[in-house]
Amino acid sequence: MPNHLIVFALLLGISMPLYASVSIEQYGAQEFNPSLGQTFDIPVRIDEPGSIQVDIFTPDGDLVRSLPGGRQTGAGVYPVTWDGRDQAGTPVPDEAYIPVVRLVTGRDGEAASYDPRTISGGEEVILPVTTNARQQLIFQLDKPSRILARAGVKSGPMMKSILNWQVRGRGRNMALWNGSDQDGLVNLYDNDRLALLVTGFELPLHSIIAVGNENLEYLAWRTARQWPVGIPDLSEAQFERDGRRISRHYYLPRSVEIDPRITLEIIDQLPVGEDGIPIVSGPIALRVDMHKEDRWAMQQSLYEVAFFIDYEFLSEEEQGYMPLTWRWNPVALKPGIHMVTVNVSGFNGQVGVKSLQIAIPK
């Protein structure tokens, strides 16, 4: 079945036919490093003779590589080896890739296929998280998953993106975080309103996790190959399987699941103290902007811009646009150092954060 039909069936929740004649066996390790020359064996089980082919897909549904498994004369398990390279011979960037198996038998070219995406993937996980003295977040995964980890202030702004939908393997996982906000201005471990969110969704069965490629970033790799980018129509997507909720983020392209890069500056010419912090004694104008390469992803839905002072909500622009100038009079603030934070939040779940400090004189 062509890939675009597979994706369409997946979105509609249609169960594509699975055949007992072809499947993928479980494998132990799910990670390998193509940049070091490592390979990955995909154990294909067939119950009758035929020609095997394994197609490797990105999480966005792009065909990375077609691997011939040869003509097999009997039932059994046959390893099909992937060297972690795409059709052009380039080691793939770090990501999770999905194998789809096709078996062509001798009966007039009849074909059977096994696609893990039609029966698995996207099941939501919400994880308890602990921290230790080595500034690590620790969480346990029963299955390989794509994880989002954020730190913020209860009833206040998001302050730090720790993991942005990163692929993680099953078992005990750790993420380094020293407690600082996105701009390194404060230590949130000292804040009794600290809120940590670790959530995500399970990867499809038999996902293969490539690691170790420090020279190639996933989105740049896709762009260079001119693979299409767009938001699928989710109006009839499947959001539950076997009593478990399927995350909406499972269906979104990786190019949309970004941390938008935000700038925040005071337009007015202000004096600064010895510590370099602007001294504010009257109304000021704050300008918020977004990195031009991030605007496409944010413009795929509405987004809003929210302003906070010392973690307390101040104002919001619900119909977001960039650049945005916000005028504010900090007349009610007590003398001392204060922090202004802006969150730019997309309706697809993205949040960009930027903070700066101001000094109110006595």
Side-chain angles (χ1 to χ4, degrees):
M1 179 178 287
N3 185 50
H4 70 279
L5 295 182
I6 291 173
V7 174
F8 182 71
L10 177 65
L11 291 176
L12 295 183
I14 299 172
S15 296
M16 293 172 52
L18 301 177
Y19 299 86
S21 56
V22 61
S23 61
I24 299 175
E25 293 283 283
Q26 295 293 333
Y27 31 77
Q30 288 193 285
E31 297 184 3
F32 78 126
N33 189 334
S35 298
L36 295 181
Q38 295 178 0
T39 60
F40 195 96
D41 286 340
I42 304 164
V44 178
R45 174 177 288 280
I46 60 174
D47 294 337
E48 57 183 301
S51 297
I52 298 172
Q53 177 176 305
V54 177
D55 291 330
I56 307 295
F57 290 93
T58 70
D60 290 301
D62 316 296
L63 177 61
V64 177
R65 182 89 173 270
S66 291
L67 307 172
R71 176 78 185 180
Q72 307 301 337
T73 58
V77 178
Y78 298 92
V80 177
T81 300
W82 181 35
D83 61 3
R85 295 176 180 268
D86 61 17
Q87 298 281 48
T90 301
V92 297
D94 295 358
E95 248 300 343
Y97 299 88
I98 301 97
V100 176
V101 183
R102 178 180 171 87
L103 172 69
V104 179
T105 67
R107 300 194 302 270
D108 300 324
E110 182 180 335
S113 63
Y114 175 78
D115 185 344
R117 298 171 297 182
T118 63
I119 59 172
S120 62
E123 293 86 353
E124 286 186 347
V125 293
I126 300 177
L127 303 167
V129 60
T130 59
T131 60
N132 62 21
R134 294 188 295 274
Q135 300 179 332
Q136 296 170 327
L137 305 185
I138 302 172
F139 54 94
Q140 186 80 20
L141 292 176
D142 294 332
K143 296 180 180 179
S145 302
R146 195 177 294 276
I147 298 299
L148 175 74
R150 287 173 175 167
V153 174
K154 293 177 183 177
S155 303
M158 195 274 275
M159 297 297 297
K160 174 69 176 181
S161 177
I162 302 169
L163 298 175
N164 185 51
W165 298 112
Q166 288 187 16
V167 172
R168 289 299 181 101
R170 62 172 168 260
R172 188 172 186 264
N173 277 264
M174 294 180 292
L176 293 175
W177 179 51
N178 64 5
S180 69
D181 68 295
Q182 199 80 10
D183 296 287
L185 299 177
V186 295
N187 189 330
L188 294 171
Y189 282 137
D190 297 332
N191 193 314
D192 58 8
R193 291 167 57 193
L194 170 64
L196 292 172
L197 170 70
V198 181
T199 186
F201 57 84
E202 295 176 1
L203 300 177
L205 291 170
H206 312 298
S207 293
I208 303 170
I209 302 174
V211 299
N213 192 339
E214 299 179 357
N215 300 317
L216 187 60
E217 193 269 338
Y218 174 73
L219 294 182
W221 176 65
R222 287 198 79 252
T223 300
R225 278 145 187 79
Q226 299 182 330
W227 281 328
V229 176
I231 303 293
D233 181 4
L234 303 184
S235 60
E236 298 185 55
Q238 179 184 11
F239 288 106
E240 185 175 334
R241 181 187 296 118
D242 299 329
R244 295 186 62 188
R245 180 171 174 79
I246 304 299
S247 172
R248 184 176 186 274
H249 294 277
Y250 176 56
Y251 299 111
L252 294 178
R254 296 300 95 214
S255 55
V256 169
E257 300 280 53
I258 65 168
D259 289 324
R261 291 164 287 183
I262 306 302
T263 60
L264 174 64
E265 60 180 342
I266 300 173
I267 297 176
D268 310 86
Q269 296 294 321
L270 299 175
V272 297
E274 294 181 357
D275 52 9
I277 297 175
I279 299 172
V280 177
S281 56
I284 57 173
L286 294 163
R287 178 186 173 93
V288 184
D289 207 349
M290 184 189 306
H291 195 288
K292 63 179 181 180
E293 293 180 2
D294 297 340
R295 291 184 182 182
W296 177 88
M298 296 299 289
Q299 290 169 351
Q300 300 310 300
S301 70
L302 296 175
Y303 61 91
E304 59 188 22
V305 183
F307 295 89
F308 303 81
I309 182 70
D310 298 332
Y311 314 120
E312 301 298 332
F313 176 77
L314 276 179
S315 179
E316 181 177 72
E317 295 288 340
E318 294 186 357
Q319 302 274 341
Y321 58 91
M322 293 290 167
L324 170 68
T325 299
W326 180 60
R327 300 188 182 280
W328 170 54
N329 188 352
V331 63
L333 293 183
K334 296 180 180 180
I337 305 299
H338 300 271
M339 186 162 67
V340 180
T341 300
V342 62
N343 277 181
V344 178
S345 305
F347 286 12
N348 282 322
Q350 314 99 319
V351 183
V353 57
K354 192 70 178 176
S355 298
L356 58 79
Q357 292 178 319
I358 61 172
I360 303 297
K362 295 181 180 180

